[in-house]
Amino acid sequence: MSDYATLLKASGLKATFQRMIVLETIECDGHRSVEEIHEVLKESYPSISLATIYKNITMLQEKGILTEVPIVGRKSKYELSKSEHIHLVCTLCGGVEDHPYPPQSDEVLRPLIAKEQFALQKRDINLYGICHLCQVASTS
Amino acid sequence: MSDYATLLKASGLKATFQRMIVLETIECDGHRSVEEIHEVLKESYPSISLATIYKNITMLQEKGILTEVPIVGRKSKYELSKSEHIHLVCTLCGGVEDHPYPPQSDEVLRPLIAKEQFALQKRDINLYGICHLCQVASTS
DNA sequence: ATATGTGCAAAGGGTTTGCAGATAT
DNA sequence: ATATCTGCAAACCCTTTGCACATAT
């Protein structure tokens, strides 16, 4: 549970209640789509507006506080920006799990980037498959 | 330039003119969004319907002929399905380039997958940055 | 001949925008 | 006190759907 107020102010944003509960919802589950955020928040704060969630997600991305995670066949999810990691994406439940980069992954990609004279900004590695929970569920 | 008619029939689809020019447009550039496909095709075939393009892209994905390439901050692009590869995505022009997997990338990821008991279906590796052409253009 | 596919227009969702009132600083 | 933010409603996409006509097999 981060100090969202400080985080927001450091980016020149006002620390509003709505922003903090959006961030809290995302951090709580790790990865959430716009609609998921709205569904969750409506239960506790029925007056929250979908437009506000959209505006904040856009703004928080521009400030680098949130990162978009685009997913094949689904709506993008959003996560709190953090050091690079791999996503395991379940094609059944849509769940996303973070995992650290394997140690040698840098060296593996470096020759390709150098050869292409590509100014790398960000790596995005996603492994799609069926998570352990969904495998168990489908066996029973 | 593949034999699209055979490809389509092998999946139980009729080899219509519209399907073939959609495939041709995608293969020609490598990666195209729905709107890009429509823009390109309208010039030569003004009567082509956007609805037809949508229906076909959905169907061609279901048959495994096309693969969706989701991209941060943009609409998804589509490519002809082929063996796994890495995407270099330019954050300025939105261009996507394919590159072969570096040889060791399998081994690097394997321990993670085993540990998580994750039934891997597909890897999706995207490197975001600025392509060489855009770098040159911004220097001038 | 017939199942499938296309184009059109309408419907359906998701996302953005403008503005008046509310809030954080 | 004031710049910023929120919620609402409307507008504005993008995408899907239903249906009559056309086409591939």
Side-chain angles (χ1 to χ4, degrees):
Chain A
M1 208 56 53
S2 309
D3 178 356
Y4 302 125
T6 305
L7 183 66
L8 290 166
K9 287 179 195 161
S11 294
L13 298 176
K14 289 192 176 176
T16 65
F17 178 70
Q18 289 84 341
R19 274 175 191 158
M20 298 206 273
I21 60 178
V22 165
L23 290 173
E24 188 184 338
T25 302
I26 294 172
E27 187 168 40
C28 171
D29 177 81
H31 311 81
R32 286 254 157 95
S33 69
V34 172
E35 210 207 317
E36 285 165 355
I37 294 166
H38 189 225
E39 288 304 315
V40 169
L41 289 182
K42 259 196 323 196
E43 284 170 31
S44 309
Y45 315 99
S47 72
I48 195 160
S49 155
L50 191 49
T52 297
I53 296 176
Y54 274 110
K55 285 172 191 167
N56 280 329
I57 284 186
T58 302
M59 172 128 292
L60 292 166
Q61 269 184 277
E62 283 167 4
K63 296 297 186 180
I65 294 171
L66 287 184
T67 298
E68 181 186 354
V69 183
I71 299 176
V72 171
R74 298 181 185 263
K75 295 265 138 83
S76 286
K77 300 201 173 201
Y78 299 87
E79 65 185 7
L80 291 208
S81 300
K82 52 195 169 228
S83 61
E84 287 197 317
H85 53 274
I86 290 181
H87 292 124
L88 300 196
V89 183
C90 181
T91 52
L92 286 185
C93 68
V96 178
E97 293 279 336
D98 291 344
H99 284 277
Y101 267 98
Q104 324 89 310
S105 43
D106 258 49
E107 296 94 88
V108 168
L109 296 176
R110 194 173 298 131
L112 163 62
I113 295 159
K115 177 172 136 263
E116 291 303 313
Q117 302 180 277
F118 188 77
L120 184 70
Q121 293 167 332
K122 167 174 181 287
R123 294 175 293 179
D124 187 30
I125 303 191
N126 303 294
L127 304 181
Y128 288 87
I130 302 181
C131 71
H132 189 232
L133 271 173
C134 283
Q135 289 175 54
V136 170
S138 69
T139 318
S140 60
Chain B
M1 209 54 53
S2 310
D3 178 357
Y4 302 125
T6 305
L7 183 65
L8 289 165
K9 287 178 195 161
S11 296
L13 298 176
K14 290 192 176 174
T16 65
F17 178 71
Q18 288 85 341
R19 275 176 190 155
M20 299 207 273
I21 59 178
V22 164
L23 290 173
E24 188 184 338
T25 303
I26 293 172
E27 187 168 41
C28 171
D29 176 81
H31 311 80
R32 284 256 159 94
S33 67
V34 172
E35 210 207 317
E36 285 166 355
I37 295 166
H38 188 226
E39 288 304 315
V40 169
L41 291 182
K42 259 197 322 194
E43 284 169 32
S44 309
Y45 315 100
S47 71
I48 195 160
S49 155
L50 191 50
T52 297
I53 297 176
Y54 274 109
K55 286 171 190 166
N56 279 330
I57 285 185
T58 303
M59 171 128 294
L60 292 166
Q61 270 185 276
E62 284 167 3
K63 296 296 186 182
I65 294 172
L66 288 184
T67 298
E68 181 187 352
V69 183
I71 299 176
V72 171
R74 297 182 186 263
K75 296 263 139 81
S76 285
K77 300 202 172 197
Y78 300 86
E79 64 185 5
L80 293 208
S81 300
K82 50 194 173 231
S83 62
E84 287 199 316
H85 52 274
I86 290 181
H87 292 125
L88 300 196
V89 183
C90 180
T91 53
L92 287 185
C93 68
V96 178
E97 293 279 337
D98 291 344
H99 285 277
Y101 268 97
Q104 324 89 309
S105 42
D106 258 49
E107 297 95 88
V108 168
L109 295 176
R110 196 173 297 130
L112 163 62
I113 293 158
K115 177 171 136 263
E116 291 302 312
Q117 302 180 278
F118 188 78
L120 184 70
Q121 293 167 331
K122 168 174 180 286
R123 294 176 292 179
D124 187 29
I125 303 191
N126 303 295
L127 304 180
Y128 288 87
I130 301 180
C131 71
H132 190 233
L133 271 173
C134 282
Q135 290 174 51
V136 170
S138 68
T139 318
S140 61

